[in-house]
């Protein structure tokens, strides 16, 4: 079986970490009987340098023709790179917004998983971190407050700004369905987060999520107010499986959840549309300060590739094999610089990719 994958190596450490993810995918393909076929496209600064724009229409068409997109990261040093002297719509990050829109990626998935071996990096109290946690935040990405009508006016010398938060039931239903489907592949629990005690949009959110839940009797649904959820994430993160929420709440909660894991180089992410198609990328940026030095941690990108196998290709066993290989390498004490602690063996980006690929079985 061939897997058609478009790759966006991007800028900074992007090409180094994507190379490791490809290596791991190739090995998983050998073991589990599939063949990844990659087509690379330029995006971000790399595309600006060649085409003068951060993403060409041809590159979008190539991405659309694939079954999934695997990305490194884009962007440069925002204070020094000439890319940031360009108008905002021609800067590297504009490419990312354009591809998300062109591919209709409305569901953002961010896992926050605490590895036992990295529990020391968790800023929570030991009695909390000792329980471990494995949370998937599912955030609506194309609606709500960030996309509603807004204006700033001056009335009688007083400046007044308005933002609007609108969701229709179809937008809520499609993300809720994704949330329940993903929970089915995990621990069968959805915590839907809203502010239904105040907001109409949240009351509709809650009602539609309840309707969708009827089709998933095997999945437990609970509702939680967003302020409580922010507290529970630091008090008892082990209680969560899938957290399903709207755009702004998800923006804030996913950053909070990832920070409690303590290690930026470990955090994968996915953005999905209503088919199996998705864009998979690490949560971190292009780390221009360490680009080209072979010291970046490739694990977030490798784990993003595992998510791609699970959610775009239904290759769950191969995804688990990659996740187990990552865990095994950590257990054996290998660390890149960002997650290094005394007594471990420090390795570079390429070596980390080799070690993980070798342990896939
Ligand atoms: P960053 O995530 O690139 O780096 C923050 C710090 O974390 C740096 O010290 C970096 O060296 C370190 N770091 C990040 N990833 C690492 C890894 N895999 N291994 C080891 N260390 C790692 O954030 P930044 O410096 O604020 O942004 C740099 C550029 O990345 C900017 O141009 C920004 O716009 C862009 N960016 C892109 C994306 C994306 O492509 N989706 C996301 C965030 C930022």
């Amino acid at each position: 079986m061939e897997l058609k994958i478009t790759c966006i190596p991007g800028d900074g450490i992007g090409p180094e970490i994507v190379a490791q993810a490809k290596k791991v995918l190739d090995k998983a393909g050998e073991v589990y009987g599939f063949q990844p076929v990659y087509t690379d496209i330029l995006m971000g600064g790399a595309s600006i340098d060649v085409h003068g724009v951060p993403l060409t229409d041809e590159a979008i068409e190539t991405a659309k023709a694939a079954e999934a997109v695997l990305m490194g990261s884009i962007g440069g040093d925002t204070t020094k790179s000439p890319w940031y002297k360009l108008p905002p719509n021609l800067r590297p990050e504009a490419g990312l917004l354009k591809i998300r829109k062109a591919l209709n990626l409305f569901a953002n998935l961010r896992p926050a998983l605490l590895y036992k071996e990295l529990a020391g990096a968790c800023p929570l109290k030991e009695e909390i971190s000792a329980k471990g946690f494995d949370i998937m935040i599912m955030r609506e990405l194309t609606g709500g407050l960030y996309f509603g009508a807004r204006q700033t006016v001056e009335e009688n010398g007083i400046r007044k700004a308005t933002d609007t938060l609108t969701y229709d039931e179809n937008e809520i239903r499609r993300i809720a369905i994704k949330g329940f489907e993903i929970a089915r592949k995990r621990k069968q629990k959805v915590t839907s987060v809203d502010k239904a005690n105040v907001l109409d949009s949240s009351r509709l959110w809650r009602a539609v999520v309840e309707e969708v839940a009827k089709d998933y009797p095997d999945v437990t649904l609970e509702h939680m107010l967003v302020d409580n959820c922010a507290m529970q994430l630091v008090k008892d993160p082990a209680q969560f499986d899938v957290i399903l929420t709207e755009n702004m709440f998800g923006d804030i909660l996913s950053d909070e959840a990832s920070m409690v894991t303590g290690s930026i180089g470990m955090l994968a992410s996915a953005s999905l549309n209503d088919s199996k198609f998705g864009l998979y990328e690490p949560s971190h940026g292009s780390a221009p300060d360490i680009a080209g030095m072979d010291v970046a941690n490739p694990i977030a990108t490798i784990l993003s590739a595992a998510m791609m196998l699970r959610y775009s290709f239904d290759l769950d066993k191969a995804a688990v094999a990659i996740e187990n290989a990552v865990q095994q390498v950590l257990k054996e004490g290998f660390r890149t610089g960002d997650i290094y602690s005394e007594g471990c063996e420090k390795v570079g980006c390429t070596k980390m990719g080799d070690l993980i690929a070798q342990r896939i079985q």
Side-chain angles (χ1 to χ4, degrees):
M1 180 175 73
E2 283 195 353
L3 316 185
K4 275 175 77 178
I5 301 167
T6 293
C7 286
I8 306 176
D11 307 315
I13 58 170
E16 302 165 50
I17 54 182
V18 167
Q20 306 317 310
K22 283 181 176 172
K23 187 191 293 173
V24 170
L25 280 173
D26 289 342
K27 178 67 191 295
E30 277 169 34
V31 177
Y32 287 88
F34 60 85
Q35 166 103 54
V37 180
Y38 309 108
T39 311
D40 284 3
I41 59 171
L42 296 177
M43 195 169 101
S47 175
I48 295 171
D49 289 347
V50 176
H51 301 295
V53 290
L55 184 69
T56 62
D57 292 341
E58 292 74 32
I60 291 179
E61 289 313 311
T62 306
K64 279 185 177 168
E67 293 166 279
V69 177
L70 178 67
M71 188 176 126
S73 46
I74 49 118
D77 184 328
T78 50
T79 57
K80 292 191 198 133
S81 165
W83 299 328
Y84 295 92
K85 302 218 161 50
L86 295 165
N89 64 327
L90 289 179
R91 290 181 194 173
E93 288 71 13
L96 193 53
L97 298 180
K98 192 171 166 187
I99 201 164
R100 282 186 179 147
K101 195 160 173 221
L103 300 175
N104 193 24
L105 303 170
F106 65 85
N108 183 242
L109 276 178
R110 268 174 64 177
L113 171 67
L114 183 67
Y115 288 90
K116 208 167 61 214
E117 293 77 10
L118 301 180
C122 173
L124 302 179
K125 279 188 192 157
E126 209 184 320
E127 70 224 46
I128 301 172
S129 62
K131 284 203 265 175
F133 53 85
D134 178 3
I135 308 169
M136 183 65 83
I137 306 236
M138 166 147 288
R139 163 189 172 195
E140 202 289 327
L141 206 55
T142 56
L145 201 57
Y146 297 170
F147 290 88
R150 69 189 53 147
Q151 65 167 357
T152 305
V153 293
E154 193 166 321
E155 284 171 5
N156 305 323
I158 306 286
R159 284 172 298 163
K160 188 167 90 176
T162 308
D163 298 285
T164 50
L165 199 179
T166 305
Y167 273 108
D168 71 39
E169 60 179 307
N170 295 331
E171 290 172 298
I172 301 169
R173 188 168 294 110
R174 66 181 184 176
I175 183 101
I177 290 170
K178 283 270 176 211
F180 281 93
E181 292 287 338
I182 298 247
R184 267 195 174 154
K185 283 184 177 254
R186 296 171 46 92
K187 289 175 276 171
Q188 291 91 35
K189 180 177 173 192
V190 169
T191 304
S192 175
V193 173
D194 60 38
K195 190 72 184 167
N197 53 343
V198 180
L199 301 175
D200 262 28
S201 54
S202 280
R203 285 190 273 271
L204 180 63
W205 180 278
R206 203 175 266 218
V208 175
V209 170
E210 292 273 359
E211 287 163 23
V212 172
K214 292 195 180 112
D215 293 331
Y216 298 86
D218 49 323
V219 178
T220 306
L221 169 67
E222 68 173 14
H223 299 284
M224 192 176 278
L225 295 174
V226 62
D227 37 353
N228 185 26
C229 184
M231 289 191 287
Q232 295 299 328
L233 274 172
V234 289
K235 194 171 159 229
D236 181 17
Q239 71 183 285
F240 294 109
D241 179 21
V242 173
I243 291 179
L244 170 68
T245 193
E246 61 90 60
N247 202 344
M248 184 179 65
F249 298 159
D251 188 7
I252 298 165
L253 294 176
S254 60
D255 268 13
E256 184 191 358
S258 53
M259 279 328 291
V260 295
T261 68
S263 12
I264 191 171
M266 302 289 297
L267 300 168
S269 87
S271 303
L272 311 175
N273 68 17
D274 49 13
S275 68
K276 286 268 170 202
F277 189 93
L279 183 147
Y280 300 84
E281 56 172 324
S283 296
H284 58 73
S286 60
D289 52 330
I290 55 167
M293 296 163 70
D294 195 31
V295 296
N297 185 348
I299 293 181
T301 317
I302 290 169
L303 292 173
S304 301
M307 288 178 84
M308 178 175 75
L309 295 182
R310 179 173 290 121
Y311 297 122
S312 283
F313 298 105
D314 284 321
L315 291 165
D316 292 45
K317 282 188 183 150
V320 170
I322 293 177
E323 289 157 357
N324 287 346
V326 168
Q327 187 138 25
Q328 181 60 29
V329 164
L330 295 176
K331 213 167 161 182
E332 290 173 37
F334 296 106
R335 303 280 190 274
T336 44
D338 58 313
I339 51 172
Y340 177 77
S341 58
E342 231 180 88
C344 294
E345 181 174 339
K346 198 184 275 189
V347 296
C349 182
T350 311
K351 176 82 178 168
M352 184 55 100
D354 290 341
L355 290 166
I356 294 169
Q358 284 158 11
R359 280 156 185 74
I360 289 177
Q361 26 174 284

